[in-house]
Amino acid sequence: MMKTIAILYGGRSGEHEVSLISASSIIAYLEKSKYRVLPVGITKKGEWYLQHLPEWAFVPPEKGIMRSLPAIEPGERVVAVPGDGLWVEQAKGLKKLDIDIVFPVLHGTFGEDGTVQGLLETADLPYVGADVLGSAVGMDKEASKRLWLSAGLPVVDYISVGKEDISDGNLQALTRRIETRFGWPCFIKPSCSGSSVGTSKVNQPEMLKNAVVSALRWSERALVEAYVEAREIECAVLGNEHPVAFPPGEVVPSHEFYDYEAKYKDPNGATLLIPAPLAEETRTRIMSLAVAAYKYASIKGMARVDFFVEKLTGAVFLNEINTIPGFTAISMYPQMCIQGGLAYPDLLDRLIELGLENYSKKRSLEYDFSKA
C-alpha cells in the first residue's frame, strides 16, 4: 500500500536555504509507486503551509545537479493538534491530513534540536530520524562531548564559554586559560548551531572576543577548541538499536577550514573523497567509534559522525554528530551509503522503515498508571 509522507522543510534556522536543497532531493527520489508526498514548508517566521510544488520537483535531476525547492509560499496553513496529527486550514474549516509518517528535513535550530520532534510526539505522529533526546544531544556539541568523554571516547580538548567569560573582568582570565590549556590558534564555535555558522579560527588573543561574540549570536554557549592539524573524515551511521556504519569519506577544503562559504556558496569550496583514502586499521577504528558515538548520544534513524584524523600522529578524534545531515543525492551522507551498497531511494525506504519501527515500539509502552 502507498504511504503518505509529509516532508517538513525550510524552518527558522540559519540553514533554511540548505533545507530547501535537501528536501528537493528527497522529494524527487522517493519512489512514486510507494509514496504520496505532502510538502509542508515552514517559513523563516515558523509558519507551516501546505505547498503545491511544480511537476519538476517530483522528478530526479540530471546526474550531479543540485537544485532547490521554490521559496515557501503562504497559503493553506498546517497545524499540529495534540494527539491528533496534522490538520490544514481550508475555506470550509480544518481538515485532517492523512499521514503515515513525517520526514523532517530541517537542519539546525527548531528542527534538528528536538523541538519539532517533541511536537510530532505530542501530535502522535511517526517521524524519520532521531527522537527528542538524540536530537537534543546531537545538536548540543558540549552535551555530546561530555557524554563521549564519560564513555572514554576521544574528543578534541575544549573549554565551554558564555557571555560572562568575555566581560572586561574575565576576558584576560579566559585568555590565560586558553594559553595554558592548548594555546593558539584555536577554534571558536557555537555549542548549538550547524553548518559551521558562527565558527572562527582564532590565531591570536586580540581576535578572541570578537570570535566569541560572533559564536554567541547563534547559541547561548560557545566552545573554544584546540586546533588540530588534521584531515576531516565523516562517517554515515544508519539504524535504531543495532546501527551500522558505512565506509567513511573525506572532506578536503580549499578554504582555511570547512566553513559555511565552502559548504554551500563556493562550488569549489571542497573536494569530497568517497571512500576516504585511509589505512584499513584507521578505517575500522573510525567506523567502530562512529557506532559507539551514535549509541552514547542515543541517536536513532541516522546521523553523520564527523572526525579529525591528526596528520602527524594518525590519532582519531570525534568532532561532532549531525542527526539531519545534508541530504541531496550528492551530499556526503547519502554518498557514503551509496558507496557502501545502499542506493539513494533504498536509503529513503530504510529511513522510513526505521521511523515506523521506532514509533511502533513507543506505542507499545504503557503510559496510564491507573492500569498498572
Side-chain angles (χ1 to χ4, degrees), residues 182-218:
F182 39 71
W184 315 98
C186 62
F187 276 97
I188 313 292
K189 60 180 67 174
S191 184
C192 293
S193 185
S195 292
S196 300
V197 173
T199 298
S200 306
K201 184 179 180 182
V202 176
N203 294 308
Q204 54 194 17
E206 291 75 19
M207 300 171 63
L208 178 61
K209 184 173 183 178
N210 286 342
V212 174
V213 168
S214 176
L216 293 177
R217 287 179 57 206
W218 305 97

Side-chain angles (χ1 to χ4, degrees), residues 320-339:
E320 59 185 65
I321 192 164
N322 296 272
T323 55
I324 306 182
F327 225 85
T328 72
I330 58 176
S331 295
M332 279 290 276
Y333 183 92
Q335 278 296 311
M336 287 185 283
C337 293
I338 291 167
Q339 290 294 321

Side-chain angles (χ1 to χ4, degrees), residues 211-234:
V212 174
V213 168
S214 176
L216 293 177
R217 287 179 57 206
W218 305 97
S219 177
E220 292 182 12
R221 303 291 296 175
L223 299 183
V224 183
E225 289 188 351
Y227 172 74
V228 179
E229 184 69 30
R231 299 167 65 186
E232 298 190 36
I233 306 296
E234 300 181 348

